[in-house]
Amino acid sequence: MPPVECDCGHQATNSHPYPIPRDAMPCITLPDGSTKQFDQATSPRAVAASIGSGLAKAAIGARIDDVLVDLDHTIDHDASISIITAPRKGQTPSADALELIRHSCAHVMAEAIERVIPGVQLVYGPALEYGFYYDIAVPEERPIREEDFESIEKEMQSIISEDRPFTRYELGLDEGLDKLRQEGSKYKIDNAERAAEAGSTSLSWYATGNPGEHWEDLCRGPHAPSTGRIGACKIMSVAASYWHGDADSDRLTRVYGTAFFDAASLATHLEHLEEARQRDHRVIGRQLQLFAIDEMVGQGLILWTPRGAVLRNELQRFIGEELKRQGYHEVFTPHIGKLDLYRTSGHYPYYQESQYPPLIDPDQLQRLSDEGCSCAELTNLMSDGDIEGYLLKPMNCPHHIRIYASEPRSYRNLPLRLNEFGTVYRYEQSGELGGMTRVRGFTQDDAHLFCTEDQVAAEVAGCLDIVKIIFKTLHMDDYRVRVGLRDPDGDKYVGNPANWDKAEQACRDAAASQGVPFTEEPGEAAFYGPKIDFVVRDVIGREWQLGTIQVDYNLPERFDLSYVGSDNERHRPVMIHRAPFGSWERFVGVLIEHFAGAFPTWLAPEQACVLPVSEKSAEYANAVHERLRSIGARVTLDDSNDRLQARIRNAATMKIPYLFVVGPRDAEAGTVSVRAHGIERDLGAIPLEALIESLDAEIATRGERTLQMDHFPEATADEEMP
């Protein structure tokens, strides 16, 4: 039966049978492969109890054939089951366990809001990755405000402390609709009618306690066994929303909250949120003058300022050195290409929804308009290839393919490694844009390797080496590997299944060779091939997908690429796509937050600032400044009239790695007094030439050797590092 949205944002069907059929004799398969036979229909609660009292006590839900359900869900057929438990002390809760208590807490919050603000009407409230929300229609004269949070949370704690059970009951469709019409909420009636249109024959409610006695809500579930399983909760914010997401429909209030199994986990989460707020790359980026987003230019289009350009160029120089060592050839390609190029590659129409509209010859467009051609007809003509146009490139790979095809290739020329820092364009929806991490125009550190089939393993290994060098140098040591495979039921994939099998196995083998955990995720492959993604965990525990490697047998076939083998016969090359940084914009946005703007010296837009104590030291300060500039250091001189402490604070705000303070005694002794960012004290004086040597080494080695290691080793433990 087709699923539909219910009022809690889940899927509603009539798949929860009541009453329990007595003639069922299900065989239950447990996660370890063992089985249990029951002589009648059973439930996850009964299965857990049959295994042990400890499991039954800890159980809060289950997955049956990969569907999350309540403990009392009826099992009347052979099924695979895994019991979802509350975490033990010190144990990380599973995503399923958190979803159960957060969906349950959404109901608790809704009941509390109805107590505090009479007259509200509930719409729907699903669980989210980090919490939950509930959309609510509120009286115009009584909006929900932040000052209401304390009162609502007090009511929530009261409901949780009562440890009331979540009790499910069902009504037939007609009876259920009559009940909702009597209650008079058009939102609940709408959800039920949509369920009926999709074929549901019954409706389910959850009472927070006893039906007919306690608060209840139309909902499919699932829920935790009782409110007492919610250890700690908090309302986070309120925002505007619209019924069915339609801005022309009813305006609603969306109340966000979160829940955890214990107060300590909630406190840690709130600390991480505050740390994330302080590390927000949009705020730090403005503070450090790294980039700008201008409405006149357009949303999602980044303007790199001079300081941001330094950061980007240093990263490009860093990766460029490694590419030279591995024998890459840099190329440049245009920002647009003919539609036929992308028809051949499959990007048009596979990526059509995220592409900018094609550019059509104005004269041809005028002629078609004069002939009465509609927009729909124009789209069909372009899709069918009856008229030609150009496209802002969504990918660099078709251009690199044509470079490969521009001359005959021999096995002696392979592997051929082409790299480009190429800008591409994707039309992201405005609501999905976010600073530098989700943009409409971005530059990839892109490369495409063309090789023979027996070279694939070595070439993928070389790509992995680049990624590991990047992560090590940038102190991004906590990462995992994700292998994106075909969805066995998907229809977006192109090419020969046998080639897909080979490409997927190559990705598995490469991931296994890295010595870090990796997962296989069906459905995450590109339409032309499987991929290896690198998911980095930053210093406050958030995960970011950075860098990708893809093994592709299909695009070479679509473009009929070939090389002459040692047998003088034509052979098809294999293509490897790789982008270790992903995009400069996204990577730099993540990097800003990872370092909280306090970049390592080699990467910092401004590496040092010279501060004369007074005008008496101005001449020596100028000499120190010029000497540092002579080694290529990015150094400034602040000889303004502000007091020294004010100038030190200004430099700290800009997160400059080193401050070199010089006074009369330094001038006389030929020394420089050093301060390092994050250490609120002078480290001491160093002879100027020794400082020059150490700073030069720190920049050249990208932090493998540092000025502090050379001269103040006792201070390195205090240094602000990720």
Side-chain angles (χ1 to χ4, degrees), residues 523-591:
E524 289 298 314
F527 72 87
Y528 49 78
K531 59 181 180 174
I532 303 171
D533 291 329
F534 296 85
V535 182
V536 177
R537 187 185 297 274
D538 68 14
V539 292
I540 58 174
R542 297 170 303 179
E543 288 194 333
W544 304 89
Q545 192 268 304
L546 301 173
T548 187
I549 300 169
Q550 301 165 1
V551 179
D552 179 7
Y553 282 77
N554 291 310
L555 287 184
E557 187 169 328
R558 291 174 73 92
F559 280 93
D560 194 27
L561 301 184
S562 66
Y563 67 89
V564 177
S566 58
D567 57 359
N568 287 324
E569 298 293 330
R570 290 177 73 250
H571 299 271
R572 188 82 69 203
V574 181
M575 187 175 175
I576 298 170
H577 310 241
R578 73 108 191 93
F581 284 118
S583 82
W584 292 126
E585 286 75 9
R586 179 179 175 82
F587 193 89
V588 168
V590 172
L591 208 60

Side-chain angles (χ1 to χ4, degrees), residues 147-215:
E147 47 263 41
D148 295 316
F149 289 2
E150 184 177 352
S151 299
I152 297 169
E153 287 173 351
K154 184 178 179 180
E155 294 294 337
M156 292 171 69
Q157 290 300 332
S158 175
I159 296 167
I160 290 170
S161 65
E162 293 172 19
D163 195 20
R164 286 192 257 140
F166 285 97
T167 308
R168 176 184 174 123
Y169 71 91
E170 286 194 4
L171 296 176
L173 186 61
D174 291 340
E175 185 181 2
L177 282 168
D178 285 343
K179 171 182 167 62
L180 293 172
R181 289 175 184 132
Q182 290 173 16
E183 293 171 353
S185 171
K186 70 176 184 179
Y187 304 108
K188 301 296 183 180
I189 293 170
D190 175 76
N191 283 312
E193 288 176 341
R194 291 166 64 212
E197 290 172 1
S200 292
T201 58
S202 65
L203 299 172
S204 61
W205 276 259
Y206 278 83
T208 311
N210 298 319
E213 179 183 349
H214 292 104
W215 186 90

Side-chain angles (χ1 to χ4, degrees), residues 249-269:
S249 189
D250 292 9
R251 184 179 177 88
L252 306 173
T253 297
R254 179 167 293 180
V255 186
Y256 287 96
T258 192
F260 288 87
F261 282 93
D262 57 77
S265 297
L266 173 60
T268 299
H269 174 70

